[in-house]
Amino acid sequence: MNTINIRPFKNTSPTFGKNTYIDTSAVLIGDISIGDEVSIWPLVAIRGDVNSISIGNRSNVQDGSVLHVTHKNSNNPNGYPLIIGEDVTIGHKCMLHGCTVGNRILVGMGAIIMDGVVVEDDVFIGAGTLVPPNKILKSGYLYVGNPMKQARKLKDSEFQFLKKSAENYVRFKNEYLDEEA
C-alpha cells in the first residue's frame, strides 16, 4: 500500500480494513478508520487531524473529493467527526465536512455536506447540492439544490441502485487491485 501519502498526525495513523484500494495520489492523514472493501480514488484528501473520520465497508470516495472534520472546543466538546456508513458512493469532487452519512447513500458529483448534518439511510443527494449545517436528511428521499431541498420520494429502482452503485465500485476496486498484483 502507498505509504508516502498515508501519514500519522499526533501519533495517530490511518487504519485499514481488508481488501481496500487507496490510489497513490490520495492523501490520508491522522485519525482515519477505513472498513473492508473500501476504495479511495485519485486526488482524494482525507484529513483526520482535529477529529476522527470513519468510512464503512464497501464505500467509495471518488476523484478529487475532500473529507474533513471540525475540532473539539468549549462550545462543541465533541466537535464534528466525519462518519460515513456502509455502501456509500461519494461522487467526484465532493466536500464532506464534520457530518454523519448513513448507509446506502449516493452523494452526487460536486455536492457539499457541512458540519452537523445527519443523512439517514437510503438517500440520494443530487450533483452540486449544498447541504447547510445541522440539517437532517430523512431516509428514502432525493435532495437537490443550493441550498438543498427535499425533492421527492425515491423510486424502487433508485433504492436498488444505491446498493448496486457500491457493488460496482467494489468490482472496479478489485480490478485495480488485480492490476497492481
Side-chain angles (χ1 to χ4, degrees):
M1 184 177 294
N2 157 35
T3 57
I4 295 171
N5 295 330
I6 298 173
R7 305 193 297 264
F9 183 77
K10 294 188 176 179
N11 298 316
T12 303
S13 295
T15 61
F16 303 92
K18 298 174 187 166
N19 206 32
T20 60
Y21 171 75
I22 311 297
D23 187 84
T24 58
S25 68
V27 177
L28 290 78
I29 302 169
D31 190 0
I32 301 167
S33 174
I34 293 180
D36 297 340
E37 303 289 343
V38 168
S39 56
I40 307 296
W41 295 94
L43 303 174
V44 168
I46 305 176
R47 189 158 54 96
D49 52 1
V50 296
N51 213 322
S52 64
I53 296 174
S54 65
I55 300 174
N57 297 334
R58 297 172 307 282
S59 292
N60 62 88
V61 183
Q62 297 174 22
D63 314 53
S65 290
V66 175
L67 309 183
H68 196 238
V69 291
T70 301
H71 69 283
K72 301 170 186 176
N73 60 64
S74 59
N75 293 329
N76 185 0
N78 295 320
Y80 288 111
L82 176 57
I83 302 166
I84 297 169
E86 296 186 348
D87 301 306
V88 173
T89 296
I90 298 171
H92 308 287
K93 209 174 176 187
C94 291
M95 170 85 65
L96 278 68
H97 200 280
C99 55
T100 299
V101 176
N103 302 307
R104 297 170 308 281
I105 307 298
L106 187 135
V107 181
M109 294 180 285
I112 299 171
I113 306 175
M114 298 180 72
D115 289 353
V117 169
V118 175
V119 180
E120 295 180 353
D121 295 344
D122 302 303
V123 167
F124 261 75
I125 299 171
T129 297
L130 170 65
V131 184
N134 301 311
K135 298 294 183 183
I136 297 174
L137 280 65
K138 295 290 185 186
S139 180
Y141 287 91
L142 166 67
Y143 294 85
V144 297
N146 181 356
M148 72 85 198
K149 62 182 178 188
Q150 188 182 85
R152 62 172 171 77
K153 285 190 172 197
L154 294 179
K155 301 172 187 173
D156 288 341
S157 61
E158 291 168 325
F159 278 103
Q160 294 168 11
F161 180 78
L162 290 169
K163 182 81 170 165
K164 185 73 171 164
S165 177
E167 290 170 354
N168 285 339
Y169 269 88
V170 167
R171 189 178 74 251
F172 298 152
K173 167 202 60 83
N174 289 337
E175 291 173 5
Y176 274 75
L177 289 173
D178 289 344
E179 287 284 316
E180 291 179 352

